[in-house]
Amino acid sequence: MTRIKYFQTDLGMNKVAIWMQALRPRTLPAAVGPIVLGQTLVAPDHFSWLTAILCLICALALQLAVNLANDLFDGLAGVDEHDRLGPTRALQAGLLSAGELRVGLMLMLGIAVATGLWLVIFGHWLLWVLGGLALLGVLGYSGGRRPYANLGLGEVAVWLFFGPVAVLGSLLAQQTPVYSEAIFAASLVGLPVAAILVVNNLRDRHTDARAGKLTLAVRLGPRATRWLFSILTLGPWLVSLPIGLAPWTWLAWGCIGLAALGLNVKLWRHDGSALNPVLGQTALYSLAMALWLGLGVGN
């Protein structure tokens, strides 16, 4: 009896590990950063902790939904095969069925919709539009008849949803007027998040091309794709000089720049599966840039 109980517990733990792998929590800093930035830009007399937490939950649920949708739709389309260079995909490896992934996807979308409805009801009417676009973005990246990833629009969509939509949507949810500095910060913060997808697509360009998935990396080639990564990571850092801030902020700005340079060295020197660590590191860098922009614009 004890052995049977232990075996069942072990299976349960394995299932949890499989779901954690499919959800890819290492990508979550990419969702946290823009929301935190947005909340730092809210006028003090408009700020609500409840609204801020709901914005964060909604963003995290949408990010997890994107991860499950990619696993599901790429697996069904035959993009993921035995020679995949990235982390194991649950459907392709037979760890989860398509039905299980659909349930997980619907659960994440349900959480996003539930929190989003609250934000829409007590926020600005434009959140109806932004919320609808976000749902289409989740399902349309690799799903449907014409996934926009196949059109080379993935990076543009990531910039849009993790930049202007996330940051300005946070302001609208808190009923704070949108001002020029917030638009500037929102435009910058989405760039390093888009760089995460650049790394992913650079790594997978050969298998994507074979499957007919014409990502931007497939269309541009490796050299131009690496230059794009450099622009997306170094660009927002270079234009966010701490002018007018306390002297110590120059040290923080310099550290962020060193992190960006380190990422670029790795990307230019490595390829294939060796780029896997760069994905998580770029996600953390995007969070650092969001916090830095919040410090600069919020003050």
Side-chain angles (χ1 to χ4, degrees):
M1 180 69 70
T2 302
R3 291 182 62 187
I4 294 175
K5 183 177 180 180
Y6 174 80
F7 180 69
Q8 291 173 338
T9 302
D10 187 52
L11 279 178
M13 289 300 294
N14 286 338
K15 202 70 169 181
V16 170
I18 290 169
W19 274 108
M20 287 300 294
Q21 182 173 294
L23 288 167
R24 287 183 282 166
R26 286 186 297 177
T27 63
L28 293 181
V32 173
I35 298 300
V36 171
L37 172 60
Q39 301 307 317
T40 64
L41 303 179
V42 172
D45 56 339
H46 284 258
F47 183 81
S48 162
W49 275 106
L50 175 60
T51 301
I53 291 171
L54 290 176
C55 284
L56 182 59
I57 293 173
C58 185
L60 292 175
L62 287 171
Q63 176 62 51
L64 295 174
V66 168
N67 294 341
L68 293 177
N70 290 346
D71 195 313
L72 173 63
F73 296 132
D74 281 355
L76 292 175
V79 175
D80 296 327
E81 296 188 8
H82 67 280
D83 58 348
R84 172 176 165 76
L85 298 175
T88 303
R89 287 285 181 89
L91 182 58
Q92 181 270 327
L95 300 174
L96 293 173
S97 67
E100 288 175 311
L101 283 171
R102 286 192 181 95
V103 170
L105 174 58
M106 290 300 106
L107 176 61
M108 290 299 108
L109 289 178
I111 294 173
V113 169
T115 53
L117 282 175
W118 177 280
L119 296 172
V120 167
I121 291 171
F122 294 99
H124 196 280
W125 66 268
L126 277 174
L127 290 173
W128 283 107
V129 178
L130 298 183
L133 288 174
L135 290 176
L136 291 175
V138 169
L139 299 174
Y141 175 74
S142 53
R145 294 183 178 180
R146 289 179 60 83
Y148 59 82
N150 292 14
L151 304 175
L153 298 175
E155 286 80 0
V156 175
V158 168
W159 168 81
L160 176 64
F161 290 116
F162 289 87
V165 170
V167 176
L168 302 183
S170 295
L171 296 181
L172 294 174
Q174 297 276 20
Q175 297 187 350
T176 290
V178 175
Y179 50 100
S180 58
E181 291 86 353
I183 296 174
F184 177 69
S187 300
L188 292 181
V189 77
L191 298 178
V193 182
I196 303 171
L197 186 59
V198 172
V199 180
N200 183 84
N201 290 343
L202 176 66
R203 180 200 63 201
D204 294 342
R205 65 188 184 279
H206 298 301
T207 53
D208 284 344
R210 181 184 63 199
K213 187 175 181 179
L214 302 180
T215 63
L216 198 58
V218 173
R219 295 168 182 267
L220 293 179
R223 183 175 178 81
T225 300
R226 286 183 167 91
W227 275 115
L228 176 61
F229 179 86
S230 298
I231 293 170
L232 295 177
T233 51
L234 292 170
W237 170 72
L238 287 171
V239 300
S240 59
L241 288 166
I243 298 173
L245 298 180
W248 67 265
T249 58
W250 284 92
L251 177 60
W253 180 79
C255 290
I256 292 174
L258 288 175
L261 290 172
L263 288 173
N264 277 272
V265 168
K266 292 179 181 179
L267 192 87
W268 281 88
R269 287 183 176 178
H270 300 293
D271 204 356
S273 59
L275 292 175
N276 286 333
V278 183
L279 282 166
Q281 292 162 6
T282 306
L284 290 174
Y285 173 73
S286 73
L287 175 58
M289 271 303 306
L291 296 175
W292 170 250
L293 290 170
L295 176 65
V297 180
N299 288 276

Tab-separated table of all heavy atoms in Angstrom, residues 178-208:
chain	number	residue	atom	x	y	z
A	178	VAL	N	-3.466	59.653	-20.218
A	178	VAL	CA	-2.268	59.238	-20.941
A	178	VAL	C	-1.496	60.484	-21.355
A	178	VAL	O	-2.053	61.392	-21.966
A	178	VAL	CB	-2.638	58.401	-22.188
A	178	VAL	CG1	-1.394	58.084	-23.010
A	178	VAL	CG2	-3.336	57.116	-21.764
A	179	TYR	N	-0.207	60.535	-20.996
A	179	TYR	CA	0.598	61.717	-21.297
A	179	TYR	C	1.819	61.314	-22.115
A	179	TYR	O	2.141	60.121	-22.248
A	179	TYR	CB	1.000	62.438	-20.016
A	179	TYR	CG	1.611	61.573	-18.941
A	179	TYR	CD1	2.991	61.528	-18.746
A	179	TYR	CD2	0.794	60.803	-18.098
A	179	TYR	CE1	3.548	60.742	-17.756
A	179	TYR	CE2	1.354	60.016	-17.098
A	179	TYR	CZ	2.726	59.983	-16.932
A	179	TYR	OH	3.279	59.196	-15.959
A	180	SER	N	2.521	62.298	-22.675
A	180	SER	CA	3.571	62.040	-23.660
A	180	SER	C	4.717	61.207	-23.101
A	180	SER	O	5.238	60.323	-23.780
A	180	SER	CB	4.108	63.367	-24.214
A	180	SER	OG	4.619	64.175	-23.164
A	181	GLU	N	5.130	61.468	-21.854
A	181	GLU	CA	6.229	60.697	-21.271
A	181	GLU	C	5.855	59.222	-21.132
A	181	GLU	O	6.696	58.337	-21.315
A	181	GLU	CB	6.620	61.268	-19.902
A	181	GLU	CG	7.280	62.633	-19.951
A	181	GLU	CD	6.252	63.760	-19.967
A	181	GLU	OE1	5.041	63.460	-20.084
A	181	GLU	OE2	6.666	64.932	-19.875
A	182	ALA	N	4.608	58.952	-20.812
A	182	ALA	CA	4.147	57.566	-20.686
A	182	ALA	C	4.155	56.872	-22.042
A	182	ALA	O	4.517	55.698	-22.148
A	182	ALA	CB	2.747	57.534	-20.081
A	183	ILE	N	3.761	57.583	-23.084
A	183	ILE	CA	3.788	57.006	-24.432
A	183	ILE	C	5.222	56.681	-24.835
A	183	ILE	O	5.495	55.629	-25.417
A	183	ILE	CB	3.139	57.976	-25.438
A	183	ILE	CG1	1.652	58.158	-25.111
A	183	ILE	CG2	3.322	57.477	-26.866
A	183	ILE	CD1	0.966	59.209	-25.957
A	184	PHE	N	6.151	57.579	-24.509
A	184	PHE	CA	7.563	57.352	-24.816
A	184	PHE	C	8.082	56.110	-24.098
A	184	PHE	O	8.721	55.241	-24.701
A	184	PHE	CB	8.369	58.589	-24.406
A	184	PHE	CG	9.853	58.442	-24.608
A	184	PHE	CD1	10.396	58.381	-25.882
A	184	PHE	CD2	10.704	58.363	-23.513
A	184	PHE	CE1	11.771	58.252	-26.070
A	184	PHE	CE2	12.073	58.233	-23.691
A	184	PHE	CZ	12.608	58.174	-24.963
A	185	ALA	N	7.796	55.999	-22.806
A	185	ALA	CA	8.247	54.836	-22.032
A	185	ALA	C	7.598	53.549	-22.537
A	185	ALA	O	8.248	52.505	-22.618
A	185	ALA	CB	7.929	55.043	-20.554
A	186	ALA	N	6.321	53.623	-22.884
A	186	ALA	CA	5.613	52.444	-23.386
A	186	ALA	C	6.206	51.968	-24.703
A	186	ALA	O	6.281	50.762	-24.969
A	186	ALA	CB	4.131	52.766	-23.569
A	187	SER	N	6.646	52.905	-25.533
A	187	SER	CA	7.250	52.540	-26.814
A	187	SER	C	8.601	51.864	-26.623
A	187	SER	O	8.965	50.968	-27.387
A	187	SER	CB	7.425	53.793	-27.683
A	187	SER	OG	6.184	54.409	-27.938
A	188	LEU	N	9.343	52.278	-25.586
A	188	LEU	CA	10.662	51.701	-25.346
A	188	LEU	C	10.607	50.345	-24.666
A	188	LEU	O	11.376	49.442	-25.006
A	188	LEU	CB	11.501	52.659	-24.488
A	188	LEU	CG	11.940	53.983	-25.120
A	188	LEU	CD1	12.777	54.771	-24.131
A	188	LEU	CD2	12.718	53.737	-26.403
A	189	VAL	N	9.719	50.178	-23.693
A	189	VAL	CA	9.749	48.975	-22.863
A	189	VAL	C	9.420	47.710	-23.650
A	189	VAL	O	9.861	46.610	-23.302
A	189	VAL	CB	8.792	49.129	-21.660
A	189	VAL	CG1	7.328	48.944	-22.075
A	189	VAL	CG2	9.159	48.148	-20.555
A	190	GLY	N	8.667	47.841	-24.729
A	190	GLY	CA	8.323	46.661	-25.517
A	190	GLY	C	9.460	46.154	-26.387
A	190	GLY	O	9.427	45.004	-26.842
A	191	LEU	N	10.492	46.974	-26.597
A	191	LEU	CA	11.578	46.589	-27.498
A	191	LEU	C	12.409	45.422	-26.965
A	191	LEU	O	12.626	44.439	-27.684
A	191	LEU	CB	12.460	47.807	-27.799
A	191	LEU	CG	11.760	48.968	-28.517
A	191	LEU	CD1	12.728	50.132	-28.708
A	191	LEU	CD2	11.214	48.515	-29.872
A	192	PRO	N	12.906	45.473	-25.715
A	192	PRO	CA	13.656	44.315	-25.220
A	192	PRO	C	12.790	43.069	-25.048
A	192	PRO	O	13.306	41.943	-25.084
A	192	PRO	CB	14.235	44.794	-23.886
A	192	PRO	CG	13.405	45.960	-23.493
A	192	PRO	CD	12.944	46.598	-24.761
A	193	VAL	N	11.489	43.250	-24.862
A	193	VAL	CA	10.605	42.072	-24.804
A	193	VAL	C	10.537	41.416	-26.176
A	193	VAL	O	10.578	40.188	-26.304
A	193	VAL	CB	9.200	42.458	-24.308
A	193	VAL	CG1	8.323	41.216	-24.209
A	193	VAL	CG2	9.281	43.150	-22.951
A	194	ALA	N	10.443	42.240	-27.226
A	194	ALA	CA	10.461	41.699	-28.585
A	194	ALA	C	11.779	40.992	-28.874
A	194	ALA	O	11.831	40.041	-29.662
A	194	ALA	CB	10.221	42.820	-29.595
A	195	ALA	N	12.858	41.441	-28.223
A	195	ALA	CA	14.164	40.806	-28.416
A	195	ALA	C	14.163	39.353	-27.943
A	195	ALA	O	14.942	38.537	-28.446
A	195	ALA	CB	15.236	41.599	-27.681
A	196	ILE	N	13.311	39.025	-26.974
A	196	ILE	CA	13.203	37.633	-26.516
A	196	ILE	C	12.756	36.750	-27.673
A	196	ILE	O	13.306	35.665	-27.906
A	196	ILE	CB	12.209	37.520	-25.346
A	196	ILE	CG1	12.618	38.435	-24.195
A	196	ILE	CG2	12.103	36.067	-24.869
A	196	ILE	CD1	11.572	38.533	-23.095
A	197	LEU	N	11.761	37.218	-28.407
A	197	LEU	CA	11.273	36.449	-29.551
A	197	LEU	C	12.318	36.382	-30.654
A	197	LEU	O	12.418	35.379	-31.370
A	197	LEU	CB	9.978	37.068	-30.082
A	197	LEU	CG	9.261	36.281	-31.189
A	197	LEU	CD1	8.900	34.887	-30.697
A	197	LEU	CD2	8.011	37.028	-31.647
A	198	VAL	N	13.114	37.440	-30.808
A	198	VAL	CA	14.196	37.414	-31.792
A	198	VAL	C	15.161	36.269	-31.496
A	198	VAL	O	15.573	35.539	-32.403
A	198	VAL	CB	14.947	38.764	-31.809
A	198	VAL	CG1	16.197	38.668	-32.678
A	198	VAL	CG2	14.040	39.873	-32.329
A	199	VAL	N	15.536	36.108	-30.216
A	199	VAL	CA	16.424	35.007	-29.833
A	199	VAL	C	15.776	33.660	-30.150
A	199	VAL	O	16.402	32.765	-30.729
A	199	VAL	CB	16.770	35.074	-28.330
A	199	VAL	CG1	17.694	33.917	-27.939
A	199	VAL	CG2	17.404	36.393	-27.976
A	200	ASN	N	14.523	33.522	-29.775
A	200	ASN	CA	13.797	32.268	-30.007
A	200	ASN	C	13.756	31.925	-31.490
A	200	ASN	O	14.017	30.781	-31.897
A	200	ASN	CB	12.377	32.409	-29.454
A	200	ASN	CG	11.573	31.137	-29.593
A	200	ASN	OD1	11.644	30.233	-28.763
A	200	ASN	ND2	10.779	31.043	-30.651
A	201	ASN	N	13.439	32.907	-32.321
A	201	ASN	CA	13.305	32.655	-33.756
A	201	ASN	C	14.649	32.488	-34.446
A	201	ASN	O	14.750	31.777	-35.450
A	201	ASN	CB	12.507	33.786	-34.409
A	201	ASN	CG	11.044	33.766	-33.994
A	201	ASN	OD1	10.543	32.766	-33.491
A	201	ASN	ND2	10.359	34.885	-34.182
A	202	LEU	N	15.690	33.140	-33.930
A	202	LEU	CA	17.036	32.921	-34.452
A	202	LEU	C	17.465	31.477	-34.210
A	202	LEU	O	17.996	30.818	-35.112
A	202	LEU	CB	18.024	33.881	-33.789
A	202	LEU	CG	19.495	33.707	-34.168
A	202	LEU	CD1	19.724	34.052	-35.639
A	202	LEU	CD2	20.387	34.567	-33.271
A	203	ARG	N	17.226	30.991	-33.013
A	203	ARG	CA	17.569	29.605	-32.682
A	203	ARG	C	16.810	28.617	-33.559
A	203	ARG	O	17.366	27.623	-34.019
A	203	ARG	CB	17.248	29.350	-31.204
A	203	ARG	CG	17.556	27.955	-30.708
A	203	ARG	CD	16.780	27.664	-29.437
A	203	ARG	NE	15.340	27.679	-29.684
A	203	ARG	CZ	14.418	27.854	-28.731
A	203	ARG	NH1	14.775	28.055	-27.484
A	203	ARG	NH2	13.130	27.833	-29.050
A	204	ASP	N	15.541	28.889	-33.815
A	204	ASP	CA	14.668	27.922	-34.496
A	204	ASP	C	14.542	28.168	-35.992
A	204	ASP	O	13.681	27.568	-36.637
A	204	ASP	CB	13.265	27.968	-33.874
A	204	ASP	CG	13.240	27.485	-32.442
A	204	ASP	OD1	14.194	26.798	-32.025
A	204	ASP	OD2	12.273	27.805	-31.726
A	205	ARG	N	15.373	29.038	-36.569
A	205	ARG	CA	15.143	29.453	-37.956
A	205	ARG	C	15.183	28.282	-38.936
A	205	ARG	O	14.440	28.274	-39.933
A	205	ARG	CB	16.149	30.536	-38.360
A	205	ARG	CG	17.602	30.094	-38.409
A	205	ARG	CD	18.531	31.279	-38.623
A	205	ARG	NE	19.928	30.882	-38.769
A	205	ARG	CZ	20.732	30.606	-37.768
A	205	ARG	NH1	20.275	30.676	-36.513
A	205	ARG	NH2	21.988	30.261	-37.997
A	206	HIS	N	16.043	27.296	-38.706
A	206	HIS	CA	16.155	26.187	-39.655
A	206	HIS	C	14.920	25.283	-39.602
A	206	HIS	O	14.363	24.928	-40.654
A	206	HIS	CB	17.418	25.376	-39.364
A	206	HIS	CG	18.685	26.158	-39.514
A	206	HIS	ND1	19.050	26.762	-40.699
A	206	HIS	CD2	19.677	26.451	-38.624
A	206	HIS	CE1	20.204	27.386	-40.545
A	206	HIS	NE2	20.603	27.215	-39.294
A	207	THR	N	14.491	24.922	-38.399
A	207	THR	CA	13.308	24.065	-38.280
A	207	THR	C	12.045	24.821	-38.673
A	207	THR	O	11.119	24.235	-39.229
A	207	THR	CB	13.183	23.515	-36.849
A	207	THR	OG1	13.229	24.608	-35.910
A	207	THR	CG2	14.329	22.546	-36.543
A	208	ASP	N	11.988	26.120	-38.380
A	208	ASP	CA	10.831	26.916	-38.785
A	208	ASP	C	10.734	26.992	-40.311
A	208	ASP	O	9.644	26.853	-40.885
A	208	ASP	CB	10.927	28.333	-38.212
A	208	ASP	CG	10.589	28.390	-36.736
A	208	ASP	OD1	9.990	27.424	-36.227
A	208	ASP	OD2	10.921	29.399	-36.086
